[in-house]
Amino acid sequence: MSELLIVGAGGFARETAQAVRDAGDTKLLGHLDDNAALHGTEVDGVPVLGGCDLVHDLPAARVVLCAGNPRDYAARARLVRRLGLPADRYATVLHPTAAVSSTSEIGPGSVLLAHCVLTAAVRVGAHVAVMPHAVLTHDDVIEDCATLAAGVRLGGGARLARGAYVGSGALVREGTTVGAWSLVGMGSTVLGDIPPGEVWAGSPARRLRAADAPALDELVTRTTGGPAT
């Protein structure tokens, strides 16, 4: 039985831990989190072993990164760079109720939670978070580090570019692109392409403002090669 470390100890990490336990085919060693106050404690019965860099001291264990929230949805991308692990160290976590078609592909480090659906020829990149009851239909493309919150629905041929965050219950029209590091508010209806690095919300969705600094830093890193903090 393979061993797994979950980097993070917040809500998404706890949900991932539950998915691992429900699947029953992996030994969950514990959480890693940089919050020293959590070290030596338990979260839902799972121990917090230490800081994130402890992954290097346990080289036999697979890893999944479960950091990030709407206020800082770039956290996983920063951790990927910081930890510098090879792709084969990363596990892919699928809740046993997730429905993934045989023609779909899922990259390393991605997590698919309960009752999400990938219908046909869906491509999911690395370190993607797919929350419960999300539906990805034919030919959707989800790039690395993107997040689909609970109940998101994507029409056929939709694309979420690197790091895009789509909030709970949002609908994205077929053939539409959500740009890199953009955020779509919960319950929104996306009828046309969204540029990179912006926040959109409403039905139909409209531009509210530029994305927050962590997301914009990642956008600059990807397009110029410059450093992000």
Side-chain angles (χ1 to χ4, degrees):
M1 180 178 288
S2 62
E3 297 177 334
L4 180 70
L5 294 165
I6 295 177
V7 176
F12 176 35
R14 293 168 58 200
E15 291 174 325
T16 301
Q18 187 61 55
V20 171
R21 287 182 291 201
D22 288 348
D25 56 359
T26 300
K27 180 180 180 181
L28 180 55
L29 296 182
H31 295 279
L32 304 180
D33 197 285
D34 286 336
N35 182 356
L38 295 176
H39 298 172
T41 68
E42 291 188 349
V43 178
D44 299 336
V46 180
V48 181
L49 303 175
C52 299
D53 293 318
L54 192 61
V55 294
H56 301 296
D57 297 331
L58 297 165
R62 306 288 296 282
V63 178
V64 65
L65 307 181
C66 294
N69 57 62
R71 295 175 298 281
D72 182 8
Y73 50 96
R76 288 197 303 283
R78 293 198 304 274
L79 275 169
V80 170
R81 286 196 303 276
R82 170 183 157 187
L83 297 177
L85 299 175
D88 61 7
R89 278 293 307 273
Y90 287 108
T92 299
V93 175
L94 305 179
H95 191 277
T97 62
V100 179
S101 67
S102 61
T103 55
S104 295
E105 301 175 0
I106 304 169
S110 290
V111 176
L112 278 65
L113 294 179
H115 303 290
C116 61
V117 177
L118 280 62
T119 62
V122 176
R123 288 190 290 141
V124 175
H127 310 293
V128 171
V130 183
M131 303 300 181
H133 292 280
V135 176
L136 287 65
T137 56
H138 67 89
D139 303 304
D140 289 338
V141 176
I142 316 300
E143 296 187 6
D144 296 353
C145 299
T147 301
L148 293 87
V152 167
R153 303 288 192 268
L154 303 184
R159 175 173 169 261
L160 303 188
R162 180 178 173 84
Y165 186 107
V166 180
S168 298
L171 307 175
V172 179
R173 186 177 186 173
E174 66 274 7
T176 299
T177 294
V178 177
W181 300 105
S182 282
L183 182 147
V184 174
M186 64 176 62
S188 297
T189 303
V190 178
L191 299 179
D193 291 349
I194 293 177
E198 297 186 356
V199 176
W200 286 51
S203 185
R206 294 178 174 85
R207 185 186 190 276
L208 299 183
R209 56 179 173 82
D212 291 334
L216 294 180
D217 287 345
E218 287 299 325
L219 185 61
V220 170
T221 299
R222 187 68 172 178
T223 56
T224 71
T229 57

